[in-house]
Amino acid sequence: MRLRWLRAPGLIKRLFPDFVWRYNSDEKKVYLTFDDGPIPESTMWTLDLLKEKGVKATFFCVGDNVRKFPDLYRRIVEEGHAVGNHTHNHLKGWYNNTQKYVENVILASEYIDSKLFRPPYGLIKTSQAKYLSTDYKVIMWDVLSGDYRQDITPERCYRDVMKKVRPGSILLFHNHLKSEKNMRYTVPRLIDELKQQGYDFGICH
Ligand SMILES: [Zn+2]
């Protein structure tokens, strides 16, 4: 189900035209985003890398992870990155009624200070989106890295991302264990290559 949807971005885009799928395409700027953290293994490494490269990014956090690792969350904010709400328990919108879903986002908002929201799996009902749109700007993506895929090599992950990047792109990576190998290979190379090509890195807004 998930993969079928992700391969049909045109359809989701038509359903949700108010969501942000990509930023200004006139500027040579891209937007790195990391979903599902913060977790010590992955987020610490990501923050060290971004600091070393002098690059800012946006972290769509799971509220329950922020509850467990408040210091990591603080570090994200203190180092100048943006944060976004990704529900408290990583809920799939399609499988939860609107009240339960919205309540889970509100619970997460006690831990995550942000007016940005990204639905887990990109799956959200129109009723849920309508509700959240009054308080949040919903940030989607136009480049899905596939870092979680176990059937591709890190090099393939990197090459696929580089093929899809264009000015204004929002790139989706993960801060979870499943994506470690591909993410750790791809992100540093991508930053170096895009800098070489004259790209800047922005935070979602
Ligand atoms: Zn997620």
Side-chain angles (χ1 to χ4, degrees):
M1 182 77 82
R2 176 169 61 143
L3 289 175
R4 192 159 62 81
W5 262 80
L6 295 174
R7 280 196 214 103
L11 176 63
I12 322 179
K13 274 183 202 172
R14 281 197 298 278
L15 276 174
F16 301 115
D18 295 339
F19 292 4
V20 179
W21 298 88
R22 186 186 169 194
Y23 288 100
N24 186 357
S25 56
D26 298 335
E27 253 183 304
K28 234 180 165 189
K29 201 167 187 178
V30 293
Y31 299 79
L32 289 174
T33 67
F34 296 91
D35 286 10
D36 300 357
I39 58 166
E41 299 82 352
S42 191
T43 307
M44 212 99 90
W45 182 89
T46 305
L47 287 170
D48 289 345
L49 175 80
L50 295 175
K51 189 188 254 178
E52 178 200 319
K53 303 281 185 195
V55 163
K56 303 292 183 221
T58 306
F59 292 78
F60 286 92
C61 299
V62 169
D64 198 45
N65 284 341
V66 177
R67 182 188 64 76
K68 282 188 263 184
F69 308 109
D71 292 349
L72 268 180
Y73 172 80
R74 248 192 310 274
R75 188 179 158 195
I76 294 173
V77 175
E78 278 169 10
E79 295 187 359
H81 305 291
V83 288
N85 188 318
H86 197 49
T87 76
H88 196 68
N89 300 102
H90 207 256
L91 294 192
K92 254 187 193 144
W94 285 10
Y95 303 146
N96 290 278
N97 69 45
T98 297
Q99 186 180 345
K100 188 178 171 201
Y101 193 75
V102 170
E103 278 173 4
N104 203 260
V105 175
I106 293 170
L107 179 58
S109 75
E110 291 174 20
Y111 298 90
I112 303 156
D113 183 18
S114 175
K115 287 295 168 200
L116 305 177
F117 176 74
R118 174 175 283 165
Y121 311 99
L123 297 178
I124 186 165
K125 292 178 188 168
T126 44
S127 56
Q128 295 161 346
K130 218 168 132 190
Y131 222 103
L132 292 174
S133 290
T134 57
D135 275 334
Y136 290 93
K137 190 183 262 187
V138 180
I139 311 290
M140 302 297 271
W141 60 85
D142 70 324
V143 179
L144 180 68
S145 69
D147 55 358
Y148 52 84
R149 285 179 60 183
Q150 305 301 304
D151 63 328
I152 58 169
T153 62
E155 177 62 24
R156 161 92 191 277
C157 180
Y158 168 70
R159 280 202 315 258
D160 284 355
V161 171
M162 285 309 300
K163 258 185 260 167
K164 288 184 262 182
V165 173
R166 39 187 192 154
S169 275
I170 302 171
L171 289 77
L172 169 50
F173 288 93
H174 291 89
N175 268 182
H176 58 41
L177 297 178
K178 204 167 54 176
S179 61
E180 278 294 83
K181 197 173 65 171
N182 289 337
M183 191 276 284
R184 287 192 188 211
Y185 181 90
T186 299
V187 176
R189 283 166 181 79
L190 171 115
I191 291 173
D192 290 345
E193 177 57 30
L194 289 178
K195 275 184 175 174
Q196 195 88 28
Q197 293 181 18
Y199 275 92
D200 228 340
F201 294 80
I203 52 174
C204 295
H205 48 271

